[in-house]
Each structure stands twice: as C-alpha cells, then as structure tokens.
Amino acid sequence: MPSQTSTRLHELLRAAVSGIGGVERPGQVQMAEAVQHAVESGEHLLVQAGTGTGKSVAYLVPALAHSQHTRKPVVVATATLALQAQVVDRDLPRVVESLAPLLGRRPTYGLVKGRRNYLCKHKLVGGFPDDEDDALFGSGSMSGGTSASALGEQVLRLREWADETDSGDRDELVPGVSERAWRQVSVSAQECLGGKCPLVDECFVEQARAAAKDADVVVTNHSMLAIDAFEGRQILPEHDLVVIDEAHELVDRVTSTITDELTAPMVERAARKAHRLADVGELADAALALRGALELMAPGRLVTVPHQLGAAVSLVRDAARTVQSELKPEKGAEVDAGRQVARAEVDAVFEVAERLLSQNEYDVAWVSDDPRRGPVVHVAPIGVAGLLREKLYADRTIVMTSATLELGGTFDAVARSVGLSGPDSPAWQGLDVGSPFDYGKQAILYCAKHLPPPGRDGTSDATMDELADLIQAAGGRTLGLFSSRRAAEAAAEAMRERLDLPVLCQGDDQMPTLVRQFARDARTCLFGTLSLWQGVDVPGHACHLVVIDRIPFPRPDDPLMSARSQAVADAGGNGFMAVAATYAALRMAQGAGRLVRSSDDRGVVAVLDPRLATARYGSFLRASLPPFWPTADKAKVLAALQRLDESAGELRAVHDPGSRAEAMRDKGSAPVPVQPGPSAEPAPVPDSARTAVVLGRAWTPEDDTLLREGVDLGCTLDDLADQFECEPDVVQARLDDLGLTAATDELF
C-alpha cells in the first residue's frame, strides 16, 4: 500500500503536470519520489534526468510540499541565467497556480540576487561619494564609450525611476542603462553600510531578502549559494533543503566565486579611493613595484612565488595593512560611506596579497596576460570538495540534478568533485531516471576510427574530406562543435569551398541570430566553439548531424587543471582520468546532447577523433554519452543520413525574441513573476532598449546576457569578439563595464 505522503505527492504531481499542459512521465515520477525520499531521510541525492524528463517540475512539487509542511523556504540554485529565467518566469507560476487548490493557499517565491543588482537609496541621496573616475555632467567622452552627458542623462533617469519602482531591481528597468551609470546608484556588499545605514529600513535589498524569508521557494544562483554557505553572510533565509540544478557546473561556479586576482591597477584604484582619508604613498609605491615585478613574469603557473614578485606582493600587503589601520573609524564616530568604500577596496587588496603570500597547499597561483589590464596574478582553490563537504551538507539536505552527472557509467567522478565521497563523507544516493527518448533508435554514435589522430597542425585533409561527406549526405542540417575558434573557422572555409551549402560560423553574427538562421533553413550548417556545446536547442529536422571534431581535453598547460591532476597523482590516484578525462566526458555529453531534443528527433553524432574508439580511456568517454546506437561503419552512417534527409518533414517555426513579461506581485508576498500563456505573443523589444553604447557599438540587454553567458562558459576575448562581430577592444570595454573577465586562452 502506498504511504499517505506518497499518495499526496502523486496527487500534487498530477495537478502540476496537468496545469502546465504536459503528460506525466515515468522518469519524472521516479525523480519526484526520490526527492521526496531525500527530504524524509536526510540523505543527499544526485539525480541524472535526461532532456525531456521535466525535472524542474519533478523537484518543484516535492519542494513546495516540503515548504508547506515545515514553513521553511526551499532554495533552488541554478547556474545559468537562462534556466533561472525559465524557473521563475515559466515553471513556478504555472506550478503554484496548479497546486494552490490542493495546498489551500497560493505558494510564493522570490529571487535572491547580489546587492549590486539593486538601487541603493542612500547612495541615491548623496550618502556615498561619486566614483571619482566618472564625471557625470561634464562634456567630452568617457572611457568605455559612454559620454559624460549621456551618463548624466542616464543617472537622471535612474533618479526618476527610483520614485516609481517598488523593488529597485535592475532587471525591472526597461530599457536599461550602462554599467557605469548603474554604479552611481548601487553599492557592493563590501561597500554597504549594513545596519548602520540611515536608510536601512527603506533598503530594497533588505526588503527583498525579508520577503524571501516568508517565501516557499527562493531561487538564486550557484555563486550566491556558495557565498552564503562559505562566508556566513546570511544572504539566504534559514532553510533545510537545497535543489542544485545544472549541478554539473557547480564545481566550476564555486571555484570561480572563490578565485581571487591581483593587478597593479587594482592596487592603484584602492590608493585613489583612500587618498583623502589616509596616507597612501606607500600603497602607491607598492603598486609600482607590483607592476614592475609582473612585467618580468611569463604567463603560467607559480609553483612557488618568485622572490621579486613575492617582495612586491609583500609591499602591497604591508602598505594595505597600514592604510586599513588609518581607515578604521573612531569608536562612536558617525558612519562614513566614503570611508566604507575605501575600506572595501583596500581590504580586497590586502586579502588577496595575504592569500598569495600564505602559499596555501590547497591553492594554485598563476600569472596571465590580460589584453587591457596587463599581467594578472590569480589564486584559486585546487578543489572545492572539502569546502562543500564542510560548509554545505551538514545542516541541510542537498538535491543535485542535471542531464549529465553520471560519467563513465557511475556517479563516482561527480560525487568526488563535490565532496560526497571519501572519509567522513555524508550519506547520499545516486539515481539515473533516464530519458523519455529512445536514444538507441533515435540516434547513431559514429566514431571515424579510420581517421588520423588530431594533431597540433590543424585539421587534416582526410578529416575535412570526412566532414564534407557527412554534411553532403545529411543535406546540410549540421551543427559542428569544434575545439577552437581557429578550427571552426578553418572547417567553415573548407566546407564553403567544397559544398554548395550555406555554412554559418560563430562570429559571422550574434549567436542567437545564427541559431535562428540555422533552425530556419534545413540546408544550413552552423559551426562554433564552446558556447555551442551547451547552449543550442534546435529540435526537429533542422539538425540531423552533430559533429565533434576532437575529444575536448583541457589544455595541458592549464594551471588549475594541471594542479588538480598533480594533486590526484600525489594522492595515489590517476590524475588524467580524474581530471582530464572527466572534464572531456562532461563536455562530450553536453555536446552530444544537442542532437536529440524531442521524441521526434533523429540523427547522427559523429566524432572525428579515432581515440574515442582506440584509446584505453575511450570506453569511459563512451559510457558518459547517451546510449546511442554505436558504429564505425561510414557507409551505414551516410546511408542513414541520406534517408533522413529524403524523408524530412517541415521545420519547426522559429520566433524572434520578445521582451520578458512584467513581474506581478501579490500584496504581502514574495515576488511572483508571471509569464503570458502559451498563446500570448510577446511584445517586440524596442530599438531604444539599449544598456550602453561602447566605443560606438550599442549593447542591448540580450547582448549583455549573452556576454555574461559566454564568460561563464569560458569563451576567450577573440571568441566573444567574433560572436558579436566587433573588435576585441569594444568587447573588452564592455566586459570592463560589467566587471567581467574573458578567458585568456582557448579551451582546448
């Protein structure tokens, strides 16, 4: 006999699925039951749910039931902006409406973001000093391409908006403003005066977080979850259940969150901020010493800190400590926002310098050469498993889910990376609920093992011939995933010469535009690099062939990856399998997953790297992919592609992007954004919707979102410049405005 809680769960799940107009799937039911069991037992859960399972509904239903029972919020953390928008704008509104009659009330939910995303009322009324790098109302041109007069107009507009907005949330400002203008009305967490702020009772951030405490579901991102757990800032409300979606990205996101860097301009900026309040002469001299030492450094890993660099960093640390002492407010003194801003800058410099000099055995340091900022010293944790085990799992149940968690046929690799294996690890269960797709009948995995192994001299003629044969048989309909931008460009040029088919390449236009063109024309091919491996969703007959040019191992000279591999080897493990092969398996699984996006999809995933079939690690990589029908018979593959091309039906309609729906709120509850129904046509984005004009190029909110996603995915500056079809300097200026840093080298 099913238990009462099981019966209740199934009742809620049926209502939710019906409310969104879907059908109940076995994998979805199995996943919802597993989440419910994790909640009741306290065991952590890793659950792999393939594309089409409906995993967001599968975890939202038991999460809302748990919150209803305990009156505690459930935290949902995503990696990408796209999934966060899907959960908040599409999934949650429909699920809560469907469950409200059964729960006796309409569940609430909210978003928790970083402080920089909100307008600061105290800064707005002059409580903080203006950024001395920004002259608001003068004439002339500002660095970054925004004129001073335009900047002033944007700030005036922000002041008017401040009198109208109930949330202060930047995402609700349409059209947006430049990052430079937004900085005039916002503060970072380090700059915030906290409880000492005279306007704390009117603070938008505090209001949003107070509302989140009463919400049933709080949606945030991996980075905010890590900051809350590691630094104890109490950003999130008290909770006992966390669902981590896109969990395959958790380690990289957490690593990025706790990676620090030090540059000479960073030290100089701290000195400028503090010069009115302290003697910063030594700090300015230390910045010069750091600049000189870094100019002598070649990019690469620092196994130990060289003497000259160590001496310069010591000067920076000691000078920053002296300034810190001078910046301490006198006991009982009135709060000073300018002092707080200066302290935040100096504290950041001191903490990074101290971390570098401590040479912690669990950190890895390296130097890179940034095109605009010059040399940069980075310091990152070799791994985050220990931190996650210590800080995240103790007082809450964690559910991690993704379409790619089982690598090599087991959850061991992912469990090890997130701290769920080894001595003193907490109890957990792994579950693969499969996919509603019949991969063995819908797709072929073709490994061209007769080709020569890929080398450093570019793609061989034989490989280009193989690619042309496959595309010709498919009649176009090809998504090409390449190891580097140069490889993608070379393949695109070669195919344009050999085939009478349109070939688009990343950099020809903005990526969303290219994807729409690809989806609208069956004869078109689309080639690209990293941002295509995870971000393209083109179901239907537009894509019958996904080509992977080579196994995506990390670069041998990647400082962080090589340090992690060495650490595993030093502990007696296989560093290559634990780091490089696992890295490649995850990305291959993500890339291969671009093919089958619906139950009607058919096609071939072709890997042009014979090592997938011939190398000892090949079986591990193959076991990480969906269970496609495998073959190395080229004739069979060409025949299958030709049959698919001849029998292909109409392409699915492709709509141009529309504006995001306006958020709606219930009185006295957390924010509840509502998406229009399936039949509603979104309003077009007006041409005036620009966030900034940088060096003559206008940037839209969509551009900024894509830029952030590209940085998160590890795109280089050249990749981003190609994607946005502009000069690298223009992209770098916009990255600087947004506080972002592109990868310094290509992925593979």
Side-chain angles (χ1 to χ4, degrees):
M1 290 288 292
S3 67
Q4 185 176 355
T5 55
S6 176
T7 301
R8 177 65 166 167
L9 174 65
H10 284 243
E11 181 184 20
L12 294 172
L13 185 60
R14 281 193 297 270
V17 171
S18 175
I20 65 174
V23 293
E24 203 171 79
R25 299 185 174 103
Q28 187 180 57
V29 174
Q30 189 181 8
M31 179 175 172
E33 291 173 341
V35 174
Q36 180 70 34
H37 174 74
V39 169
E40 294 173 348
S41 67
E43 283 188 336
H44 306 302
L45 174 67
L46 299 182
V47 55
Q48 177 165 286
T51 303
T53 302
K55 60 185 172 69
S56 58
V57 173
Y59 64 67
L60 286 174
V61 169
L64 286 165
H66 175 69
S67 179
Q68 172 87 350
H69 176 67
T70 63
R71 298 298 181 184
K72 287 184 179 180
V74 173
V75 173
V76 174
T78 73
T80 61
L81 295 171
L83 182 60
Q84 189 176 80
Q86 175 188 314
V87 171
V88 172
D89 292 344
R90 191 183 73 183
D91 297 335
L92 270 169
R94 295 188 290 180
V95 170
V96 299
E97 289 295 344
S98 303
L99 299 188
L102 296 176
L103 296 176
R105 66 181 182 88
R106 187 175 187 269
T108 59
Y109 55 93
L111 272 171
V112 168
K113 306 178 182 181
R115 197 169 288 272
R116 270 290 188 194
N117 292 281
Y118 294 90
L119 183 148
C120 172
K121 287 191 174 182
H122 188 43
K123 190 165 190 176
L124 195 69
V125 298
F128 285 80
D130 288 336
D131 189 326
E132 62 192 62
D133 297 329
D134 292 330
L136 288 183
F137 300 103
S139 59
S141 177
M142 301 294 298
S143 63
T146 304
S147 70
S149 59
L151 185 65
E153 290 174 1
Q154 290 180 348
V155 173
L156 287 174
R157 179 166 163 256
L158 283 168
R159 293 182 182 278
E160 294 172 356
W161 177 69
D163 294 330
E164 304 167 0
T165 177
D166 293 326
S167 69
D169 186 341
R170 183 178 183 178
D171 285 347
E172 296 186 10
L173 178 65
V174 180
V177 296
S178 68
E179 181 69 17
R180 193 176 296 276
W182 185 255
R183 282 205 305 266
Q184 302 301 317
V185 298
S186 67
V187 297
S188 68
Q190 292 75 23
E191 295 168 342
C192 177
L193 302 179
K196 296 180 179 179
C197 177
L199 297 180
V200 65
D201 293 337
E202 303 175 36
C203 177
F204 288 123
V205 176
E206 298 304 320
Q207 290 173 359
R209 293 180 182 175
K213 290 180 181 178
D214 298 323
D216 294 284
V217 175
V218 176
V219 181
T220 188
N221 59 47
H222 292 180
S223 295
M224 293 294 288
L225 179 67
I227 292 170
D228 181 77
F230 298 168
E231 300 182 13
R233 292 192 199 169
Q234 297 182 327
I235 297 169
L236 302 173
E238 184 180 349
H239 57 277
D240 59 6
L241 174 62
V242 177
V243 179
I244 301 175
D245 207 338
E246 300 173 303
H248 63 278
E249 296 198 38
L250 179 65
V251 169
D252 287 344
R253 300 294 173 129
V254 171
T255 299
S256 177
T257 299
I258 53 179
T259 294
D260 288 321
E261 61 181 36
L262 186 66
T263 67
M266 178 179 168
V267 181
E268 292 165 353
R269 177 178 174 85
R272 287 199 305 272
K273 292 292 184 182
H275 81 279
R276 292 192 181 94
L277 301 163
D279 182 355
V280 297
E282 291 185 0
L283 190 59
D285 291 342
L288 290 174
L290 180 63
R291 185 182 296 277
L294 285 175
E295 287 175 351
L296 300 176
M297 299 294 301
R301 183 182 173 189
L302 302 175
V303 179
T304 59
V305 178
H307 174 73
Q308 187 165 351
L309 178 61
V313 175
S314 294
L315 289 175
V316 170
R317 178 198 58 188
D318 295 343
R321 181 190 287 123
T322 300
V323 176
Q324 280 179 319
S325 298
E326 293 188 47
L327 290 176
K328 285 183 180 179
E330 296 181 7
K331 191 173 182 179
E334 187 176 343
V335 64
D336 181 350
R339 187 178 297 272
Q340 184 71 15
V341 170
R343 287 182 64 189
E345 298 280 352
V346 176
D347 286 350
V349 166
F350 174 80
E351 289 165 6
V352 181
E354 181 80 352
R355 183 179 177 184
L356 282 166
L357 292 171
S358 69
Q359 300 191 50
N360 188 317
E361 62 178 316
Y362 300 112
D363 276 344
V364 56
W366 71 95
V367 174
S368 69
D369 190 13
D370 186 279
R372 288 181 66 87
R373 296 183 297 163
V376 182
V377 188
H378 308 262
V379 56
I382 291 179
V384 296
L387 269 174
L388 290 171
R389 183 186 302 124
E390 177 186 354
K391 301 291 188 179
L392 190 61
Y393 302 129
D395 301 320
R396 52 183 74 86
T397 301
I398 306 295
V399 174
M400 298 189 189
T401 184
S402 168
T404 47
L405 288 181
E406 202 175 23
L407 302 177
T410 74
F411 289 95
D412 293 347
V414 170
R416 183 170 55 248
S417 69
V418 298
L420 286 176
S421 66
D424 303 320
S425 60
W428 63 280
Q429 292 290 327
L431 174 67
D432 181 4
V433 301
S435 167
F437 307 146
D438 189 342
Y439 287 113
K441 292 182 178 179
Q442 290 184 240
I444 295 171
L445 174 64
Y446 169 55
C447 180
K449 69 178 186 179
H450 60 281
L451 293 176
R456 296 185 177 181
D457 297 330
T459 307
S460 67
D461 289 340
T463 301
M464 289 295 190
D465 290 340
E466 186 83 7
L467 178 59
D469 290 343
L470 290 166
I471 294 174
Q472 189 72 55
R477 309 178 193 272
T478 300
L479 177 65
L481 306 178
F482 291 85
S483 56
S484 70
R485 180 177 55 85
R486 285 189 294 272
E489 290 174 345
E493 182 178 356
M495 294 307 104
R496 288 164 182 159
E497 292 175 354
R498 301 179 189 216
L499 302 172
D500 186 21
L501 293 169
V503 179
L504 305 175
C505 189
Q506 184 174 355
D508 292 345
D509 204 329
Q510 296 186 49
M511 190 54 65
T513 302
L514 293 176
V515 172
R516 288 194 295 273
Q517 290 177 2
F518 173 57
R520 283 174 173 150
D521 183 3
R523 300 301 167 192
T524 295
C525 304
L526 174 59
F527 292 176
T529 56
L530 183 62
S531 58
L532 290 180
W533 287 68
Q534 299 186 63
V536 175
D537 187 0
V538 183
H541 295 290
C543 182
H544 285 171
L545 175 63
V546 170
V547 177
I548 297 174
D549 72 328
R550 64 192 299 167
I551 297 171
F553 290 119
R555 292 180 61 93
D557 58 355
D558 182 292
L560 189 54
M561 290 295 181
S562 61
R564 287 175 172 172
S565 182
Q566 185 62 51
V568 173
D570 291 344
N574 186 322
F576 172 79
M577 291 301 297
V579 178
T582 297
Y583 178 97
L586 177 59
R587 278 146 187 83
M588 285 198 74
Q590 289 285 316
R594 299 307 96 200
L595 179 66
V596 178
R597 310 301 295 174
S598 74
S599 58
D600 298 327
D601 290 346
R602 302 288 187 275
V604 174
V605 173
V607 180
L608 307 184
D609 188 335
R611 295 174 296 175
L612 183 65
T614 60
R616 293 179 61 186
Y617 51 77
S619 59
F620 173 80
L621 299 177
R622 295 194 302 273
S624 305
L625 301 176
F628 303 132
W629 186 77
T631 186
D633 190 327
K634 179 179 178 179
K636 288 183 179 179
V637 170
L638 295 179
L641 288 170
Q642 288 169 352
R643 288 194 300 271
L644 285 173
D645 181 39
E646 292 167 359
S647 62
E650 294 293 324
L651 301 186
R652 299 191 180 190
V654 178
H655 300 290
D656 289 320
S659 63
R660 190 174 182 179
E662 292 186 1
M664 296 181 64
R665 299 174 183 273
D666 286 343
K667 288 186 177 180
S669 71
V672 185
V674 178
Q675 188 79 356
S679 62
E681 285 296 329
V685 178
D687 291 338
S688 60
R690 299 286 185 264
T691 54
V693 177
V694 177
L695 299 181
R697 187 197 190 280
W699 292 81
T700 67
E702 181 186 24
D703 291 341
D704 288 344
T705 296
L706 290 170
L707 197 60
R708 290 185 178 96
E709 295 286 359
V711 169
D712 288 343
L713 289 169
C715 293
T716 66
L717 183 64
D718 286 341
D719 283 337
L720 294 170
D722 284 347
Q723 176 175 337
F724 290 101
E725 201 177 14
C726 59
E727 292 300 315
D729 282 352
V730 179
V731 176
Q732 186 62 59
R734 187 61 184 149
L735 289 171
D736 291 346
D737 281 347
L738 297 174
L740 302 173
T741 302
T744 57
D745 210 340
E746 292 179 345
L747 182 64
F748 311 124

